[in-house]
Amino acid sequence: MDVDAKTTLIVGRNNTAKTSCNSCINTVLEGKAFSYNDYPLPKRENLHNLFLQFMEKKLSYEDLCKDVETISIEFVVDYSLDAKFRRVFSDSFPLILIDEYQDSYKPIVDRFINFFIAKGVGSQFGFFGDAWQTIYQTNNACGAIEHSNLEEIKKGSNFRSAPRIVKLLNDIRPDLPQQSAIDNFEGEVVVVTCDDYPGVRRSDRTFKDDLPPEELKSRLYQLSECIKKNVPKEENIKILMITHKVLATQQGYERLLAIIDDGLRDKQDPFLLFFMNTVEPIYEALSTLNMQLLFDTLGIRRYPITKKSEKTKWKEFELQLKKARDGKAIDVINTIVESKLVPIPSLVDGYYHLYFDAPDTIYGLNATIREVLDLDYSQFRAAIEFLYPEAEFSTEHGVKGEEYDNVVFVISKGWNQYQFETYAPMITGKVPIPVGKEASYERNRNLFYVCCSRPKKRLFLFVSIPLNSAFRNFLTDIVGAENIYTFNEYMDNKSVL
């Protein structure tokens, strides 16, 4: 591999490699062979298991080659300092339109500004987006873009939200007045507090003064059911929670998330994928007599049931699978294996045998394969439910750009970077922003605004932490005292109607 010594390299981050990118680059440039320790940890674990299956003759050489993941190092060359390149770039792209500009990579946007916009030469740029919706903090997003050569055009119409919700947004952000384009429904904004909770609140650091997990789960469930009973059946509802961990506790798969972590969110865990893409669809197909779904899931064209004996076998499998789904994950896999009706991916099969042959084999983050497969299968089912687009729950960061008929915005503890009870009152200017806390304020303000702007018809701000005076005054200003209820007041009020 020949690399010009004068080349400027911008190397993206690598979250899984044990060694640094620079070390990898030097290894390549010096012509050295990569060692075992240069291979990213999750891939190294998969590689080990694949070779183990191959040596035990449980995996063919062809399947081994197919399943081994390759790794790569990306090299990005910065040509922006080259005047000739800039001319070619402008000639090739005379008009550049950037959607959701606030999330664009800041170094690139800075180059657009410095070399084109500031000098008034080259391509014509159009930036579409909203700086108040910059909510991702780890990707070096540019956020607000300001320059005298940029003309700001504000959008005055809101085609998503009902008038009452748009009024709330205008009260939060008076410098961007909007008018709702919805004229057949006024909308509703309600605050539901938990100041009526008489029990002992949490004392652990990240969740200090929040409701106990079971109480939070109970109240959110009751509120959700209450909303569903009082709105048309065709309307959807989305409950927004601050972190995936808090959401997982609410939904009952906290331990699974702790083990596979990003493998859940990124849909990369082999068991989760198998259960999600094979087991659950097959169970649904059998229980609803949806043969097309069964064909599609199995990837076959031939009808899988051609004789009475086969029909009996599939029916028995359905009953056994139904029972296994109420047990542990290992029970489900045992049922699949014993049935010999459903193919099992090689990686899942390898781990399945390790469960019996080497149960202390490390899996995920500080767990063993035995601990993973001994989890209740309900944890996998709950995680799968979360991954579906129509899931009732989502993280607050996960709904940017989305819209729903009814939104429950849960204001709770769980992430120290977000303290809405402290920073939200600063939005209207009645509480000053402390010196040195500008970034924290913007971070909280932006997420608060994004969550409040998701609903089309109704917004419910569910506050599980005690209301301090500044936060209560802020909520009173934007929703009105008559629209603030304790949890029991709201439930009693709705039960009377």
Side-chain angles (χ1 to χ4, degrees):
M1 177 178 180
D2 296 325
V3 178
D4 188 339
K6 296 181 180 179
T7 299
T8 300
L9 299 176
I10 301 176
V11 183
R13 66 181 184 274
N14 184 329
N15 290 330
T16 58
K18 179 182 179 182
T19 54
S20 68
C21 285
N22 283 335
S23 175
C24 292
I25 292 170
N26 288 333
T27 300
V28 173
L29 295 180
E30 294 172 6
K32 297 178 180 178
F34 273 102
S35 71
Y36 178 80
N37 287 328
D38 292 313
Y39 207 63
L41 286 173
K43 296 178 185 291
R44 193 188 314 164
E45 181 181 348
N46 289 344
L47 183 66
H48 170 268
N49 292 321
L50 288 170
F51 272 115
L52 184 64
Q53 294 173 57
F54 175 68
M55 288 186 290
E56 294 176 352
K57 297 183 179 181
K58 296 176 181 177
L59 188 69
S60 69
Y61 177 75
E62 291 75 16
D63 287 337
L64 173 66
C65 295
K66 181 180 66 175
D67 291 344
V68 170
E69 297 179 75
T70 58
I71 62 170
S72 63
I73 303 172
E74 296 182 2
F75 296 87
V76 180
V77 181
D78 181 7
Y79 288 107
S80 63
L81 299 177
D82 189 315
K84 180 179 178 181
F85 169 78
R86 295 198 298 272
R87 288 195 299 271
V88 172
F89 180 84
S90 297
D91 291 341
S92 302
F93 307 102
L95 179 63
I96 298 176
L97 306 178
I98 301 177
D99 193 22
E100 299 290 352
Y101 77 83
Q102 70 277 359
D103 294 324
S104 299
Y105 189 48
K106 188 176 186 303
I108 292 179
V109 173
D110 287 344
R111 283 161 175 75
F112 287 157
I113 293 175
N114 296 334
F115 291 115
F116 300 107
I117 297 172
K119 297 179 179 180
V121 299
S123 306
Q124 181 73 36
F125 288 84
F127 297 96
F128 301 86
D130 182 1
W132 274 43
Q133 296 196 41
T134 309
I135 61 174
Y136 307 121
Q137 305 300 316
T138 59
N139 62 348
N140 204 6
C142 67
I145 300 176
E146 297 178 350
H147 195 277
S148 58
N149 287 350
L150 288 173
E151 178 183 356
E152 183 180 16
I153 301 174
K154 296 182 178 181
K155 187 183 77 170
S157 297
N158 187 311
F159 294 93
R160 169 187 296 154
S161 302
R164 181 61 190 89
I165 296 170
V166 172
K167 180 183 182 303
L168 170 78
L169 300 178
N170 289 339
D171 290 339
I172 293 174
R173 193 178 184 182
D175 64 329
L176 184 64
Q178 301 178 63
Q179 184 172 350
S180 174
I182 310 299
D183 56 11
N184 61 350
F185 187 80
E186 179 60 24
E188 182 181 8
V189 178
V190 171
V191 173
V192 179
T193 79
C194 293
D195 285 354
D196 57 351
Y197 175 66
V200 177
R201 290 179 174 268
R202 298 182 67 168
S203 59
D204 39 325
R205 183 177 177 184
T206 307
F207 296 92
K208 192 175 188 316
D209 293 330
D210 208 339
L211 294 176
E214 286 304 313
E215 182 67 22
L216 176 62
K217 183 176 183 178
S218 172
R219 291 194 173 207
L220 274 179
Y221 174 77
Q222 292 179 64
L223 178 61
S224 172
E225 292 302 302
C226 177
I227 294 171
K228 292 174 186 176
K229 289 178 182 177
N230 288 279
V231 302
K233 290 184 178 179
E234 65 271 13
E235 292 186 6
N236 58 25
I237 180 174
K238 185 69 78 170
I239 300 174
L240 313 183
M241 306 195 76
I242 187 61
T243 68
H244 196 175
K245 182 178 180 180
V246 174
L247 190 156
T249 301
Q250 179 74 22
Q251 293 296 91
Y253 61 93
E254 183 179 14
R255 178 56 183 153
L256 175 62
L257 177 64
I259 293 174
I260 65 177
D261 196 33
D262 289 347
L264 195 157
R265 182 196 62 198
D266 299 335
K267 301 179 186 178
Q268 293 181 341
D269 181 77
F271 291 112
L272 184 69
L273 287 175
F274 180 55
F275 295 146
M276 181 176 183
N277 298 331
T278 303
V279 177
E280 287 303 296
I282 286 178
Y283 179 74
E284 180 183 349
L286 294 174
S287 60
T288 60
L289 300 179
N290 187 340
M291 292 300 102
Q292 185 60 54
L293 177 58
L294 184 61
F295 294 165
D296 294 342
T297 304
L298 292 174
I300 60 175
R301 296 181 180 179
R302 182 185 66 84
Y303 191 70
I305 305 174
T306 57
K307 297 184 295 186
K308 184 176 180 180
S309 60
E310 290 176 339
K311 182 178 181 180
T312 301
K313 185 181 295 186
W314 277 98
K315 186 60 181 178
E316 290 176 353
F317 173 60
E318 177 193 347
L319 297 175
Q320 292 167 357
L321 185 57
K322 180 180 180 180
K323 180 179 179 181
R325 289 170 73 250
D326 292 330
K328 299 178 180 179
I330 187 62
D331 298 327
V332 172
I333 299 181
N334 278 335
T335 300
I336 301 256
V337 170
E338 292 168 3
S339 74
K340 299 180 181 179
L341 295 172
V342 179
I344 300 178
S346 58
L347 190 56
V348 171
D349 185 63
Y351 279 122
Y352 173 70
H353 285 86
L354 286 174
Y355 175 87
F356 298 101
D357 300 335
D360 293 329
T361 300
I362 296 299
Y363 187 95
L365 301 177
N366 300 319
T368 66
I369 187 62
R370 174 195 290 156
E371 290 172 324
V372 174
L373 294 184
D374 279 347
L375 288 174
D376 289 341
Y377 186 67
S378 61
Q379 293 211 31
F380 287 92
R381 290 168 59 187
I384 291 169
E385 179 69 25
F386 164 73
L387 293 172
Y388 288 139
E390 63 273 17
E392 188 170 299
F393 285 80
S394 174
T395 61
E396 291 164 4
H397 286 80
V399 295
K400 184 168 165 291
E402 302 294 332
E403 59 181 36
Y404 311 96
D405 295 315
N406 306 284
V407 168
V408 178
F409 174 16
V410 180
I411 298 176
S412 64
K413 293 294 184 70
W415 191 352
N416 288 335
Q417 289 198 20
Y418 292 93
Q419 301 173 40
F420 294 121
E421 74 281 9
T422 298
Y423 291 101
M426 301 175 190
I427 295 175
T428 54
K430 292 188 177 181
V431 174
I433 303 171
V435 175
K437 293 294 184 179
E438 291 82 4
S440 297
Y441 160 70
E442 288 188 9
R443 180 170 60 245
N444 282 261
R445 177 202 66 186
N446 291 0
L447 187 57
F448 188 88
Y449 182 79
V450 165
C451 292
C452 288
S453 59
R454 296 309 96 196
K456 294 191 286 186
K457 295 185 175 182
R458 301 173 190 84
L459 171 64
F460 302 85
L461 291 95
F462 178 83
V463 187
S464 64
I465 54 179
L467 266 65
N468 58 51
S469 58
F471 194 33
R472 179 177 287 278
N473 291 338
F474 167 74
L475 293 174
T476 301
D477 288 343
I478 64 173
V479 308
E482 70 279 8
N483 294 311
I484 300 178
Y485 303 85
T486 65
F487 174 77
N488 288 311
E489 286 174 347
Y490 185 78
M491 298 300 292
D492 291 343
N493 180 57
K494 287 298 180 181
S495 65
V496 172
L497 297 179

